[in-house]
Amino acid sequence: MADSQVLQELLQFLTPSTRQDVKGKALEYVLSFTSSTTGRQCLCDDPAYTQALIGLTEDTDPVVCRDAFKGLINLSSEERIVKTLCNEKEFISSLLEMVADASCVLADAASMILSNVTRTEDGCQKVMDNLKGSDCSTDFVKLVEVFCNVGYNSKANLHHLGDVLSNLTQLVEGRKFILDREHCVIQRLLPFTQFLGSEVRRRGVIAALKNCCFEIDAHEWLLSDTVDILPHLLLPLAGPEELSEEDMDGLPDDLQYLDDDKMREQDAEIRKMLLEAIHKLCATKVCRQIVKDKKTYVILREFHKWEQNESVISACENVVSLLIMDEPGPELENLNEIELPDDMKKTVEGDTQEK
């Protein structure tokens, strides 16, 4: 019997009312299909499989419940499955509520599914709608609170909430929430650029910060003492090199006299995102001057000597080019409003894609 026929036969047993041993065996077989691209594609053809797994996430048997979540984590890596999940409003709300439940043993699984769902624009919007809706007890404020409290759930690390936050900041309303000046949200996220406990969490926060840097109207506030974002972006790029007194004059306090064992960010993708965020902050003359005055060039000069990754080196050179170039006339101060020749676009525009 072909695999698709077997799956179709087993579908009838993927219900909470099915005898536990039969249900467990059927789920085990379906779960094996979710671990490969070919298998997932087979399950994508009929949304009934996804809906059956959603039903089993509420099973009374914790093993069945756990395996159903495993299957949904794998399946939600497929965009076609995300479209199916986007129509399951109650399930999306339950995932958010699981993340906010400090005693939930499956909170990590819920956050992973939310991470996958929010990778698409439609999925992002559906999750945002749930966060704003009256039917869901978890809102954006709670989501940030959970993320920023590292020990919130002793049974889950919730690192993948960083991915969820970064994905949500692809939306204008997501960025506006993070940049809300009354709630001080972004200030709570900044320390995680140096969080050594999880690369996933660091990457998520830095991607969210980079996305927020696309809001040019917020740049002066981000660079002001109220937020002081620049040292948090530069510190992961700084190394143990001894700097002269002249170099340190004007350098933010957090970047002076670093320990001899100070290590730079080890992940090349994260280093590149940090540079791209700084690049975005250089869009206007006023902000370029702030970035220059805080001796950004000194940190990037030493970083450039150390960096080996060609893509990251290029991103570094793009920032340095903006810092050392002659300032254009008043009518050209905002680089985002200038029509540039093709050969200059790479340097001035840098990376223009939100992550």
Side-chain angles (χ1 to χ4, degrees):
M1 187 181 291
D3 287 337
S4 58
Q5 290 178 293
V6 175
L7 285 170
Q8 193 63 44
E9 288 290 329
L10 291 177
L11 188 56
Q12 62 184 308
F13 301 118
L14 297 177
T15 65
S17 60
T18 301
R19 207 174 70 198
Q20 290 298 108
D21 58 334
V22 176
K23 177 171 45 183
K25 287 294 183 182
L27 180 55
E28 183 181 344
Y29 186 81
V30 172
L31 188 60
S32 69
F33 273 71
T34 69
S35 60
S36 70
T37 302
T38 304
R40 289 193 297 272
Q41 291 299 320
C42 189
L43 294 171
C44 282
D45 292 335
D46 188 348
Y49 297 110
T50 302
Q51 290 159 350
L53 289 177
I54 290 173
L56 291 179
T57 60
E58 298 181 359
D59 198 88
T60 55
D61 185 334
V63 175
V64 169
C65 188
R66 181 201 64 199
D67 285 349
F69 269 103
K70 280 184 180 179
L72 288 169
I73 291 170
N74 293 340
L75 282 177
S76 60
S77 64
E78 300 290 335
E79 192 167 338
R80 282 197 289 168
I81 296 297
V82 169
K83 289 180 180 178
T84 300
L85 292 173
C86 284
N87 294 322
E88 300 288 340
K89 183 179 179 181
E90 289 185 8
F91 181 60
I92 297 293
S93 289
S94 72
L95 293 175
L96 291 167
E97 289 162 4
M98 287 173 68
V99 164
D101 182 351
S103 62
C104 180
V105 297
L106 290 169
D108 274 335
S111 68
M112 289 179 193
I113 296 172
L114 287 169
S115 172
N116 284 341
V117 168
T118 53
R119 285 188 300 115
T120 71
E121 185 175 353
D122 188 37
C124 246
Q125 192 60 62
K126 294 295 184 183
V127 171
M128 182 65 77
D129 291 344
N130 273 266
L131 288 168
K132 296 188 301 181
S134 57
D135 296 336
C136 181
S137 61
T138 303
D139 58 13
F140 212 143
V141 174
K142 183 63 177 179
L143 205 63
V144 171
E145 178 190 329
V146 170
F147 177 79
C148 292
N149 186 346
V150 177
Y152 182 82
N153 186 333
S154 62
K155 302 177 180 69
N157 58 53
L158 297 170
H159 295 323
H160 284 278
L161 274 188
D163 293 329
V164 178
L165 290 177
S166 70
N167 291 339
L168 290 173
T169 56
Q170 294 176 93
L171 301 175
V172 172
E173 54 192 316
R175 296 195 293 274
K176 285 185 176 179
F177 175 81
I178 299 295
L179 294 169
D180 187 296
R181 302 190 184 195
E182 293 184 5
H183 289 93
C184 299
V185 179
I186 198 164
Q187 289 94 326
R188 298 183 67 186
L189 297 178
L190 290 175
F192 289 98
T193 64
Q194 284 283 104
F195 185 73
L196 299 179
S198 168
E199 185 178 294
V200 172
R201 189 178 282 250
R202 272 200 323 279
R203 183 185 295 113
V205 162
I206 290 166
L209 295 177
K210 177 194 163 183
N211 286 345
C212 288
C213 289
F214 278 77
E215 298 296 326
I216 296 173
D217 291 344
H219 283 183
E220 288 187 50
W221 176 69
L222 288 171
L223 289 166
S224 71
D225 291 340
T226 304
V227 179
D228 202 22
I229 192 174
L230 191 59
H232 293 279
L233 299 177
L234 286 173
L235 191 55
L237 302 175
E241 295 83 7
E242 187 173 343
L243 302 175
S244 67
E245 290 298 323
E246 182 181 356
D247 279 342
M248 282 196 288
D249 184 26
L251 199 64
D253 291 345
D254 290 344
L255 294 164
Q256 296 187 24
Y257 303 106
L258 299 179
D259 293 339
D260 292 340
D261 59 353
K262 168 66 172 70
M263 292 182 63
R264 291 182 168 89
E265 170 58 54
Q266 295 298 295
D267 184 83
E269 180 189 353
I270 294 178
R271 296 197 299 272
K272 186 177 180 183
M273 285 194 291
L274 289 162
L275 290 162
E276 288 165 350
I278 297 168
H279 190 281
K280 295 304 297 181
L281 291 170
C282 294
T284 64
K285 181 179 180 180
V286 170
C287 292
R288 280 194 298 280
Q289 193 58 54
I290 295 172
V291 174
K292 290 177 184 179
D293 290 345
K294 293 192 175 183
K295 292 295 187 73
T296 298
Y297 172 77
V298 171
I299 299 298
L300 296 189
R301 181 193 66 201
E302 299 304 316
F303 173 79
H304 189 271
K305 296 175 185 176
W306 172 88
E307 183 59 64
Q308 300 292 315
N309 184 288
E310 290 297 327
S311 179
V312 181
I313 290 172
S314 178
C316 179
E317 291 173 350
N318 286 341
V319 180
V320 171
S321 295
L322 292 182
L323 297 180
I324 65 175
M325 74 176 187
D326 293 332
E327 283 294 337
E331 72 282 2
L332 302 175
E333 288 179 358
N334 189 330
L335 299 181
N336 280 342
E337 297 175 355
I338 305 171
E339 189 62 39
L340 296 167
D342 289 341
D343 61 343
M344 292 181 62
K345 283 185 177 179
K346 181 180 177 183
T347 297
V348 176
E349 291 178 358
D351 180 19
T352 59
Q353 298 299 312
E354 293 156 295
K355 298 294 184 183

